[in-house]
């Protein structure tokens, strides 16, 4: 007897707390949720609230009449809860009702069920008899089922099973929403299993396992699961199902984060870019994601929109360039900042195209060396710096011997091959910080700094010899190549244009003296 009393008190307290939590859940949903999907959810929670209030009144009533009125209140919730749960699941999973009137037809059985419940004392359709058990108030009414008793539970089971099937289908299609969908599945399945167990034990097994009704406790469990789904997984606030499906169609990577850089959601493009997002728990720090850029960890605490750039390596170790647009997420009325949207765009193609355009602006397309214009810009700066630092720079003007003969004999493609070969030979000899350019036609120019006359002449001779030793192979033929090279010192020269003219004069002197040789300006030229 004492144990029954303790169980009775605990059940009353548990129901009372559950009613408070249910009311709080309704208020929180209305206050924080902006999604239209909350409507059916709130109706579901109201139905559960009606059931809990009815059961609370049933257990606190002390007469058959009072308990029967409480049961009628309880059935207001339980008759419509399966229908509202099905509508909520269908709406949340974006199920399309092809025939709009189906929703109205589905509402007919709950209305009939409510009519059966509220007229049972006159018709006996739900309960053929009922009486209050004063010895065990925890059991409420002791009933005998009427002819339509199983109708009420039958359509409820069908509706609930349909909702569960729809959730399973959606879980298979949207694995990123598995956890919140699984909790919704548990919300639907718990009352269904509890009702089935109660009917099996009470009316089929004739109380062989005891006359215990776990349905109220399953409703309490449903409220707890709903609470977890909203508070932990943001059932409505940031990533409802419809928005999740829409985000997957966005080609750019999109990541939702809270103000403290906790992960809230992403689309497929983001999960392809950062595979760790696939298994990252919501509310976990995005810093745990491999290759998550440092630039996106140092986001300013600002409510303004802004953008930044970062670089990530690809599978081959080459750089990929990205642009990130960061936009704030505000609560209703833009009074409170909730989080941020990070939209990441791959701009590698654009960056590489810009680099190619930049290279085209200062690079010779045939040889890959600097073009004349860019060489002049760099060489003039180097010449001025040498004057300031009181150092000496040298310029070499190189001209291919008998290049016109190559074009006339073997064609212009052969001439192009010779120019490319010469450019490679020069680059193999000069120092990494020396300036090398194709000056025009078959002319090349080299500028070296911080060198003396002996070093400059030795380098020029090495270039000449290396070119002569490495003939160009074209169309199965070896094409001999030689250079006439003029070298001029910048010491005492007032302008770079004058230095270039001196080098050019020395080059012509080399040609006039027999070609394939190096001549220093001032040494007999």
């Amino acid at each position: 007897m004492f144990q029954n009393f303790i169980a009775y008190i605990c059940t009353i307290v548990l129901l009372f707390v559950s009613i408070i939590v249910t009311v709080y859940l309704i208020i929180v949903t209305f206050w924080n949720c902006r999604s239209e999907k909350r409507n059916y959810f709130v109706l579901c929670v109201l139905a559960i609230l009606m059931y809990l209030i009815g059961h609370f009144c049933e257990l606190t009533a002390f007469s058959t009449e009072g308990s029967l009125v409480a049961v009628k209140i309880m059935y207001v919730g339980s008759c419509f809860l399966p229908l509202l749960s099905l509508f909520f699941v269908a709406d949340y999973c974006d199920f399309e009702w092809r025939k709009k009137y189906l929703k109205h037809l589905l509402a007919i059985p709950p209305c009939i069920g409510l009519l059966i419940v509220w007229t049972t004392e006159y018709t006996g359709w739900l309960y053929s008899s009922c009486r209050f058990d004063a010895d065990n108030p925890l059991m409420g009414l002791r009933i005998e089922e009427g002819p339509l008793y199983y109708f009420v539970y039958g359509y409820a089971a069908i509706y609930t099973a349909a909702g569960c099937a729809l959730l399973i289908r959606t879980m298979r299609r949207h694995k990123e929403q598995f956890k919140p969908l699984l909790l919704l599945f548990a919300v639907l399945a718990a009352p269904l299993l509890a009702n089935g167990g109660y009917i099996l034990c009470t009316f089929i097994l004739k109380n062989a396992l005891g006359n215990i009704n776990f349905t109220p406790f399953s409703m309490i469990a449903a409220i707890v699961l709903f609470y977890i789904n909203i508070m932990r997984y943001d059932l409505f606030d940031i990533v409802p199902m419809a928005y999740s499906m829409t985000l997957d169609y966005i080609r750019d990577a999109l990541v939702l984060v809270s103000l403290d850089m906790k992960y809230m959601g992403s689309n497929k493009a983001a999960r392809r870019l950062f595979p760790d997002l696939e298994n990252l728990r919501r509310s976990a720090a995005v810093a745990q994601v491999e290759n998550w850029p440092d630039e996106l960890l140092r986001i300013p605490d600002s409510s303004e929109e802004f953008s930044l750039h970062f670089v990530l390596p690809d599978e081959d170790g080459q750089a990929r360039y990205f642009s990130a647009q960061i936009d704030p997420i505000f609560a209703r009325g833009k009074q409170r900042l909730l989080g941020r949207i990070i939209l990441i765009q791959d701009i590698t193609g654009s960056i590489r195209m810009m680099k190619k355009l930049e290279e085209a602006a200062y690079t010779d397309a045939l040889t890959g060396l600097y073009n004349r214009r860019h060489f002049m810009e760099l060489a003039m700066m180097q010449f001025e710096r040498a004057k300031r630092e009181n150092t000496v720079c040298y310029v070499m003007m190189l001209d291919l011997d008998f290049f016109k003969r190559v074009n006339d004999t073997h064609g212009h493609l052969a001439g192009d091959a010779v120019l490319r070969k010469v450019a490679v030979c020069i680059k193999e000899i000069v120092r990494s910080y020396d300036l090398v350019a194709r000056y025009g036609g078959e002319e090349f120019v080299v500028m070296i700094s911080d060198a003396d006359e002996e070093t400059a002449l030795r380098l020029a001779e090495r270039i000449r010899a290396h070119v002569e030793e490495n003939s160009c192979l074209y169309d199965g033929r070896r094409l001999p190549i030689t250079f006439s090279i003029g070298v001029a010192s910048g010491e005492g020269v007032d302008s770079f244009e004058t230095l270039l003219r001196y080098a050019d004069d020395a080059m012509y002197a080399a040609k006039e003296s027999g070609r394939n040789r190096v001549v220093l300006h001032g040494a007999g030229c």
Side-chain angles (χ1 to χ4, degrees), residues 456-457 459-462 464 483-487 506 510 515-520:
L457 290 174
L459 184 63
E461 179 59 31
R462 287 180 60 202
R464 186 205 63 76
F483 257 141
S484 295
I485 304 176
V487 180
R515 304 178 192 276
N516 190 22
R517 64 193 59 206
V518 177
V519 172
L520 176 66

Side-chain angles (χ1 to χ4, degrees), residues 92-103:
Y92 186 77
C93 296
D94 290 315
F95 177 77
E96 183 178 355
W97 298 90
R98 296 186 178 180
K99 304 293 183 181
K100 299 299 182 182
Y101 61 82
L102 284 178
K103 297 178 73 173

Side-chain angles (χ1 to χ4, degrees), residues 194-432:
N195 265 327
Y198 174 69
I199 293 173
L200 179 67
C201 293
T202 304
F203 301 111
I204 298 178
L205 300 180
K206 301 301 180 182
N207 297 328
L209 301 177
N211 186 14
I212 302 175
N213 186 3
F214 289 102
T215 304
F217 301 102
S218 70
M219 294 294 184
I220 296 172
I223 285 297
V224 172
L225 293 174
F226 267 142
Y227 183 85
I228 294 173
N229 227 341
I230 285 183
M231 296 303 172
R232 181 168 182 176
Y233 294 107
D234 297 312
L235 188 62
F236 302 110
D237 285 342
I238 297 182
V239 195
M241 182 61 60
Y243 296 132
S244 177
M245 294 172 65
T246 303
L247 293 180
D248 285 340
Y249 287 100
I250 298 176
R251 295 179 60 183
D252 296 332
L254 188 147
V255 182
L256 303 180
V257 295
S258 63
L259 291 179
D260 54 353
M261 295 304 294
K262 298 295 178 61
Y263 175 68
M264 303 303 296
S266 60
N267 65 352
K268 287 183 179 179
R271 293 190 290 276
R272 284 195 299 268
L273 181 60
F274 303 106
D276 284 0
L277 290 177
E278 195 73 49
N279 300 315
L280 187 66
R281 182 178 57 84
R282 298 186 72 180
S283 298
V286 292
Q288 301 177 24
V289 176
E290 184 179 1
N291 288 333
W292 185 265
D294 292 338
E295 292 85 349
L296 292 180
L297 291 176
R298 299 191 295 266
I299 295 179
D301 187 13
S302 170
S303 60
E304 300 296 326
E305 302 176 2
F306 62 95
S307 61
L308 51 84
H309 297 82
F310 61 90
V311 180
L312 293 177
D314 62 11
E315 296 177 354
D316 300 325
Q318 296 186 351
R320 291 176 64 191
Y321 301 89
F322 296 90
S323 172
Q325 176 70 31
I326 294 91
D327 296 306
I329 304 174
F330 290 102
R332 191 181 315 172
K334 291 192 174 183
Q335 296 177 352
R336 184 164 58 96
L337 188 61
L338 296 176
R340 293 184 176 90
I341 300 173
I342 303 176
L343 188 64
I344 302 172
Q345 184 179 18
D346 189 339
I347 57 172
T348 304
S350 301
I351 294 295
R352 288 176 179 172
M353 180 61 69
M354 289 177 59
K355 287 188 175 183
K356 287 181 179 179
L357 293 174
E358 289 176 358
E359 289 176 1
Y362 59 76
T363 304
D364 177 63
L366 179 62
T367 62
L369 301 177
Y370 288 144
N371 58 27
R372 179 173 178 170
R373 177 182 176 183
H374 192 59
F375 171 80
M376 293 295 290
E377 293 173 352
L378 297 178
M380 289 177 72
M381 288 190 293
Q382 195 159 310
F383 178 79
E384 294 298 329
R385 186 178 63 189
K387 289 178 63 177
R388 288 195 306 269
E389 297 177 357
N390 199 27
T391 58
V392 181
C393 60
Y394 287 80
V395 170
M396 305 176 193
M397 191 67 74
L398 308 87
D399 188 84
L400 283 168
D401 298 327
F402 304 112
F403 182 71
K404 185 175 182 302
R405 187 183 302 171
V406 174
N407 283 333
D408 293 342
T409 305
H410 303 285
H412 288 282
L413 292 179
D416 291 345
V418 169
L419 292 173
R420 285 193 292 268
K421 179 66 175 179
V422 167
V424 171
C425 290
I426 296 174
K427 291 290 289 184
E428 289 174 347
I429 298 299
V430 299
R431 301 168 298 183
S432 59

